[in-house]
Every structure is written in structure tokens, then in C-alpha cells.
Amino acid sequence: MSQPYRHPALRQLMEQQTRSATRERRLEQLDRAERLLAEIEGGKVYPFEFLCYRITGYRADSSSLLTISGRDVRHDLRLYVEDLSRTVGQPVDEATEPVLTVEDVSRRYRVSTRTVNRWRRQGLVARHFRVEGRIKVGFLESSLDRFVSEHREQVDRGTRFSQLSDAERDEIIRRARRMAAVRQASLAEIARRIARKMSRSPETIRMTLKTYDREHPDRAIFPSSTGPLDTEARAQIYRKFRTGTSVEVLAKQYGRTRSSIYRVLNELRAERLLETKLEYMHNESFDDPKAAAEILAEMPVPADGKAPRKVKAPKGLPPYLASLYEVPLLSREQEAHLFRKMNFLKYKAHLRREKLDPHKAKTAELDEIDRLQDEALAVKNQIIRANLRLVVSIAKRHVGPSNNFFELVSDGNMSLIRAVEKFDYARGNKFSTYASWAIMKNFARTIPEENYRRDRFVTGHEEMFESAADGRIDEHEYEVAHRRNVEAVQGMLGRLDDRERRIMISRYGLDGTREMTLEQLGRELGITKERVRQIESRAQEKLRRIAVEERMELPMF
């Protein structure tokens, strides 16, 4: 059974102990980890330093601020025991207490081996033992007893399992058809509801319904959604995911599996990635694998070892422009290093983009391309910030009675950005020389054009028109922005639980519903007005966090 750790700390600790601890120490740590697991409470938060001490018996030299939730600790400790025991290979006859295999547990509780493996995912701690020369999964008697006592109802339900009768099967199908028509719920949700009512396992109900649908496609309760999604549906899935809707919710909305939703997201993400233009200046050193470490190294310090001298900002500049003079200028060596690094990162991203097939794109491949392009952008911004004062200096020389200084600076910044993209550092020229030429050439073209446009359309009544300017908001722009906000909020609501989502929709009149007071909602939900307010406040806080993560501006929250 392979599951990922929820937190890398315990996985790293397991790998460290595998490399450095003796076999006896690892056996001791297995027992310590299981004893600790029995004490962990899901609702608490535990410092990693405490967990490390309880498992290894050693305290770290320096305190760590890292904490892990109890639920994640329970999950990862169980994996820790399984993975560490696999490295020990303890013979089953050396165990200090009886050991049961998966088949033994299956016979004892009269459940399938599949059910036993499901119990492992739900908290039954397993170890790996050497049985007749082979490594097999086994359970200590104490571990099994602890799981059974904590999940008594679930184990009893599995023990009561027997072959479905025809009447029971018909009842399951009848209930599922009625619930699917009324609730529009997923197969998994309906299976859980029927399982509770009929004292059966959800897996039994789910397999019964899937078998029925496969044998009766014309009367299927959950017809297969294997047809291709159209372009609009795919775009909607991608847009909703980007605004916060989870893959689970999207799978339910579009009647698809989670893996198919991931395929759609990766395909569209790859297409949009390939649509983005990527330009770089190639250098022969990029093809030398030995040069990568030097290219990606930190920026070199000035040759004389001294920090760059700060330049005092000219008087009369606003704070924003004055702050540009706080960024130190780059030396020739630093400048060449940054340009080479930026273009090398773009080159590496280009190579990966050439191999990228949108229909087979994997998340890891896309993440790597995004990482390279983001790092290249960060280096580019570093170069731009170090040269922004150059734009101010040139703009001051070109400003006149008919020119706006800040418009010249804005126009010059765009010329600077284009110059960074086109500059070939390998020719040995200083970038400031190349950028100055590009900015002045742009000013020589745009300033006469602006003067000509102003003279051609002058009316003699500029002051009257300026005083009578229409300050009203463009209605179309307002509607577009409002619709965009509504889509974003609806996507974010999918990450709230059912009651939080219901309260937020009713309180703010979303999806065409009428707005309700706290008291009205309390009566409808059967809770106090104060409790409704508390849930609303909690939901708002969640939405604020989501908005910060997604960099959205939602003033209504």
C-alpha cells in the first residue's frame, strides 16, 4: 500500500534513520512510534521536536518552530512504521507478540482482504516481516486490538457482511435510483447513505451499483460519461479550478473521474503555456552541462569587494522615483552574470517546451517549466530594477512644456523592458549603453508623434472639456468586473463546507437567492442567531485566506 506523507518532516526523519541508525535502534524506534501513535489526538497540534524526541530518544540541539496537526501526525506515523519496518526485515518469529497476516485478519473477522487493506488506510498500523524468506505485511496483535476498539462499529458492520440476496440487491438499486433522481448526488455519496441504512459497507453498495449499470446500460443509474468534453466545458473547468473550485467538486459537477479532470487541467495548462511567447539570446555555453552550476550560481560580488556606493536621488522626485536610487547599480561582471542566467533559464524552459505534448502533459513537467520561467522572470526584474533610474535620467533630458514627465517615464520603462529581452551580453557591451540608445530612439519617435496629435486636434477649449470630463464608471466595464468577481466568489465557495456555503449564499443573495437575516437563517437551520453569525465569520475568514492566496480583490468580504 503506497501513500504519500502529508508532511515531509517525518518522511525525512525516516530516511535519515534508515541511513544512520542501527538495526536494533530501528526496531526500538518502531515500538516507540507505535506507542506515540496511540497517544496522538487528531484535534491537537504537535511540535516536530517533541515527535522526534519520542521516536528517536534524542533532542535536537536547536529548537524548531515546526508544528504538525494531529491528523497529519497519525497518518504519517503509520507510514513511518511501515516504511521503517521494511528496512529492518524482522523475522516473524522474532516479534515480541503474535503477528497476524492480512489473510489471518480476513479469516478472524470474516471480511475480504480488500476490506483489511481499507482498514490499513483508515488507521490500522501494519509492519513488514520476513515470513518464510519473503517480506509480507503483518499486524501486531496489540495494533489490531487497538484499531478494533477505536472502530468497533465499522468492524462489526464488516463482520456481519454476507452475500447479498436478490431482494437486498433490488432494494439497493431502488434506493439509489430514487436518491440519484432527487439529490443529484455522486455514486460515492449515495453508496455511503445506503450503506448506513442497510448496515452494509459502502464498497459493497458501490460495486453492486456499478455492476448493475454495466449489465444494464440502457437503464443505468449512473450512466458513463465517456464522451469528449466540448471546448467550452473544458474552458469552464480550467477557469473554475483557477478561481478555487476543487477537483473533487469539478468531477462531481461534470460527471467525470478525478483523473480525467486532472488530464483536462494539464492539457489546457500546457496549451496556454505554449501560447506564451518565449524569447532568449542563445550562447554556446548553454550546451555544456559542466557550465550549468556556474551559470546558476549566486551573483558575484564586485571585484574590489566593496558594496556599491549609494547615489543620492535628485531633488523634486516623488517617493516612488526617489526609491529607485536605493537599488545599487550592477558592475559589468554582475550584469553579464544576470543576463547569462536569465537567458540560460529561458533556454532550459524552451527545451522542455519543445518536448511537451499537451495531450500527455504531466503536472511535474508543467511545474518544472513554470519554475524555470518564474526564475528567469525574477532575474529579469532584478536587471530592470537596477536600471530604472536610467529611464528617469533620460526622461528628464527630454521633458518639455508639452510633454508629461511621468508619461515619458512610463514609455521609457517599456523601452527598457524590451531592451532587456533583446540585449546580447556576449558581445561585451554595457547594457546601459544599449538601453540608453533604445530609450532615446523611442523618445525620438513618440514625442513628435504626440506633439503632432495634440496640435492637430487642439480646439482652444481644452480647459472647458477637462472641467466637464465624464467621471462616470463605464457600465460595460463595471458589468464585466462584477461578473468576474461573481465567478471568482462562486469558485471559492466550493472550498467551504455545506453549511458555510449555504449561509454565505443566503446572506449575500448569491445565485439569485434573496438575502436573509441572521435570525431568518437561524430559524431555517435550527440554530441560534449567534451561531449563524459565528459560522458566517468563520466562512469569511476562509474566503479572505483564499483571496490572498489567489491574489484576488473582493471588497465584499
Side-chain angles (χ1 to χ4, degrees):
M1 183 184 67
S2 177
Q3 284 184 285
Y5 285 78
R6 293 181 180 175
H7 201 286
L10 284 171
R11 177 180 57 79
Q12 292 168 0
L13 178 62
M14 185 275 299
E15 293 172 349
Q16 178 188 9
Q17 297 306 307
T18 299
R19 292 191 301 268
S20 59
T22 63
R23 182 175 181 275
E24 290 70 23
R25 289 290 298 165
R26 278 177 276 160
L27 281 170
E28 179 185 343
Q29 288 178 21
L30 288 173
D31 294 332
R32 294 172 69 106
E34 279 215 51
R35 287 197 297 271
L36 174 61
L37 183 58
E39 301 172 16
I40 297 297
E41 298 180 24
K44 291 186 176 181
V45 174
Y46 295 86
F48 175 70
E49 186 182 14
F50 164 77
L51 301 174
C52 183
Y53 171 72
R54 288 294 305 274
I55 295 171
T56 65
Y58 293 107
R59 292 190 183 277
D61 293 335
S62 59
S63 61
S64 171
L65 300 178
L66 176 63
T67 59
I68 311 177
S69 70
R71 291 184 181 85
D72 288 349
V73 172
R74 291 179 65 89
H75 179 274
D76 288 357
L77 266 181
R78 182 169 49 81
L79 297 182
Y80 182 97
V81 171
E82 286 202 36
D83 291 344
L84 195 62
S85 67
R86 188 183 287 110
T87 69
V88 174
Q90 182 183 19
V92 70
D93 54 7
E94 291 183 7
T96 56
E97 58 180 285
V99 176
L100 290 86
T101 64
V102 173
E103 293 74 17
D104 294 335
V105 177
S106 173
R107 286 192 295 270
R108 174 180 291 191
Y109 291 99
R110 289 179 294 155
V111 295
S112 65
T113 56
R114 187 172 183 175
T115 298
V116 176
N117 286 324
R118 187 163 63 248
W119 289 355
R120 290 174 61 193
R121 292 192 295 272
Q122 294 166 348
L124 176 58
V125 182
R127 295 193 189 187
H128 289 83
F129 295 92
R130 188 174 298 279
V131 182
E132 297 178 354
R134 297 178 58 190
I135 299 296
K136 298 187 67 174
V137 171
F139 310 94
L140 296 179
E141 185 89 42
S142 58
S143 302
L144 181 61
D145 291 343
R146 184 163 55 249
F147 176 82
V148 171
S149 64
E150 292 175 355
H151 301 78
R152 172 59 62 184
E153 182 180 349
Q154 179 182 346
V155 174
D156 289 345
R157 186 166 61 245
T159 304
R160 292 195 302 268
F161 175 78
S162 60
Q163 189 68 30
L164 286 174
S165 65
D166 291 340
E168 286 177 312
R169 188 176 292 103
D170 291 343
E171 177 67 10
I172 290 171
I173 294 168
R174 185 186 64 80
R175 286 176 180 268
R177 192 180 298 281
R178 186 179 71 247
M179 293 171 69
V182 174
R183 297 178 179 273
Q184 293 294 315
S186 66
L187 170 59
E189 182 180 350
I190 288 178
R192 285 195 299 269
R193 291 176 179 273
I194 296 177
R196 285 197 297 268
K197 291 181 180 296
M198 299 186 64
S199 297
R200 291 284 183 177
S201 71
E203 183 65 20
T204 300
I205 305 298
R206 191 179 70 85
M207 293 305 298
T208 299
L209 295 175
K210 291 191 71 171
T211 301
Y212 175 84
D213 286 350
R214 186 170 57 250
E215 295 175 351
H216 306 84
D218 55 329
R219 290 173 287 162
I221 303 170
F222 301 95
S224 176
S225 301
T226 55
L229 290 165
D230 59 32
T231 304
E232 178 61 26
R234 286 155 48 83
Q236 286 179 356
I237 289 174
Y238 186 76
R239 186 166 57 249
K240 289 180 178 180
F241 178 77
R242 295 282 293 177
T243 55
T245 305
S246 67
V247 171
E248 290 77 9
V249 172
L250 290 171
K252 184 184 295 185
Q253 289 178 352
Y254 290 87
R256 302 280 163 160
T257 62
R258 290 175 53 187
S259 59
S260 65
I261 296 295
Y262 277 119
R263 280 196 298 272
V264 170
L265 294 173
N266 283 343
E267 185 174 339
L268 289 179
R269 183 182 170 191
E271 290 175 358
R272 282 155 175 74
L273 193 62
L274 294 175
E275 288 170 1
T276 307
K277 192 175 182 180
L278 182 64
E279 294 180 320
Y280 64 94
M281 303 299 293
H282 188 265
N283 187 276
E284 59 182 15
S285 64
F286 295 170
D287 299 317
D288 182 4
K290 298 179 181 179
E294 179 185 347
I295 295 173
L296 298 176
E298 293 297 322
M299 185 169 65
V301 298
D304 56 7
K306 297 180 180 179
R309 183 173 60 86
K310 289 188 176 181
V311 180
K312 190 175 182 181
K315 294 182 179 180
L317 289 181
Y320 162 68
L321 295 180
S323 67
L324 302 181
Y325 288 80
E326 298 176 2
V327 181
L329 294 174
L330 300 171
S331 67
R332 183 183 290 271
E333 293 75 17
Q334 290 174 328
E335 189 176 86
H337 173 80
L338 291 179
F339 272 103
R340 183 170 66 161
K341 184 176 182 179
M342 177 188 72
N343 285 286
F344 178 71
L345 289 167
K346 289 184 177 182
Y347 169 69
K348 301 298 284 186
H350 167 74
L351 294 181
R352 284 166 171 76
R353 283 168 55 139
E354 281 191 325
K355 298 176 183 178
L356 188 64
D357 181 355
H359 301 291
K360 300 178 182 178
K362 291 183 170 55
T363 303
E365 296 173 336
L366 299 173
D367 288 344
E368 177 63 11
I369 295 173
D370 276 337
R371 183 189 67 80
L372 291 169
Q373 295 188 168
D374 288 345
E375 288 186 13
L377 179 60
V379 177
K380 174 183 173 182
N381 289 337
Q382 188 176 357
I383 298 171
I384 292 171
R385 283 195 300 271
N387 287 277
L388 283 174
R389 71 173 75 170
L390 178 66
V391 178
V392 177
S393 176
I394 297 174
K396 286 179 65 179
R397 297 201 300 267
H398 286 76
V399 70
S402 60
N403 305 121
N404 183 291
F405 172 68
F406 294 101
E407 288 181 359
L408 287 179
V409 170
S410 177
D411 197 21
N413 286 343
M414 297 305 298
S415 299
L416 175 66
I417 293 171
R418 288 193 293 270
V420 171
E421 295 283 352
K422 299 294 185 180
F423 179 65
D424 186 356
Y425 69 92
R427 294 186 177 182
N429 299 320
K430 281 278 291 180
F431 173 68
S432 58
T433 304
Y434 177 81
S436 298
W437 173 82
I439 295 168
M440 289 188 290
K441 181 181 178 182
N442 182 57
F443 282 168
R445 177 179 56 82
T446 58
I447 291 176
E449 286 181 357
E450 179 64 20
N451 291 338
Y452 173 76
R453 185 191 64 79
R454 186 179 292 108
D455 293 341
R456 179 177 174 81
F457 296 102
V458 68
T459 64
H461 300 285
E462 288 84 355
E463 293 182 3
M464 178 185 72
F465 281 111
E466 289 177 3
S467 62
D470 187 358
R472 294 173 296 176
I473 298 174
D474 181 63
E475 185 174 344
H476 174 69
E477 291 182 359
Y478 174 82
E479 288 297 328
V480 171
H482 176 70
R483 186 164 59 251
R484 196 159 48 236
N485 264 350
V486 169
E487 289 178 358
V489 171
Q490 288 175 338
M492 292 161 63
L493 290 175
R495 296 167 70 171
L496 303 177
D497 63 41
D498 292 342
R499 189 158 62 168
E500 290 171 344
R501 185 164 54 251
R502 168 70 184 285
I503 288 175
M504 295 303 295
I505 289 174
S506 299
R507 287 288 288 146
Y508 290 93
L510 303 175
D511 291 339
T513 62
R514 65 180 181 85
E515 294 186 16
M516 299 177 68
T517 65
L518 295 173
E519 189 172 354
Q520 290 171 331
L521 270 170
R523 285 199 302 268
E524 187 166 319
L525 296 174
I527 57 179
T528 65
K529 180 173 69 175
E530 177 59 18
R531 182 57 180 154
V532 175
R533 188 195 63 75
Q534 292 173 355
I535 297 173
E536 179 188 7
S537 177
R538 182 179 67 197
Q540 288 177 340
E541 184 59 30
K542 283 186 181 180
L543 293 175
R544 288 190 193 99
R545 288 200 302 270
I546 297 170
V548 169
E549 293 172 0
E550 300 293 336
R551 299 179 181 177
M552 301 175 184
E553 293 185 5
L554 300 175
M556 66 183 294
F557 297 123

